[in-house]
Amino acid sequence: MVTNNANRRPGDFILDRYMPHATAEEREVARENLRAFALVVVGIARRLALEEREQAIRARTDITVELT
């Protein structure tokens, strides 16, 4: 378990909590899996935000276009 804050890497808090007795190799594999999971979750959140914005645009009924 890493105790010095200067030596902490991304994911150490989660790995320390759920894998306190893991070897260095196991931690690296878990860190890679955690990063991949985080990328998927962020991708889903971005897509949902974009979809919500697009639905708000489509729901507007007061849009008028002038043809001249």
Side-chain angles (χ1 to χ4, degrees):
M1 195 178 326
V2 180
T3 57
N4 186 356
N5 284 337
N7 296 332
R8 294 185 70 79
R9 295 180 56 202
D12 277 346
F13 180 78
I14 295 170
L15 296 176
D16 290 345
R17 172 76 168 112
Y18 293 103
M19 299 178 69
H21 304 294
T23 65
E25 294 81 22
E26 291 171 332
R27 288 178 69 85
E28 285 306 312
V29 170
R31 190 181 321 279
E32 291 172 15
N33 290 338
L34 187 58
R35 183 178 187 281
F37 175 72
L39 289 173
V40 168
V41 170
V42 168
I44 291 170
R46 284 182 180 164
R47 179 63 189 138
L48 288 173
L50 179 63
E51 194 172 299
E52 183 177 312
R53 189 182 73 161
E54 289 174 352
Q55 285 178 353
I57 291 170
R58 286 188 205 112
R60 291 179 53 191
T61 59
D62 62 338
I63 299 174
T64 58
V65 178
E66 292 184 22
L67 298 175
T68 57

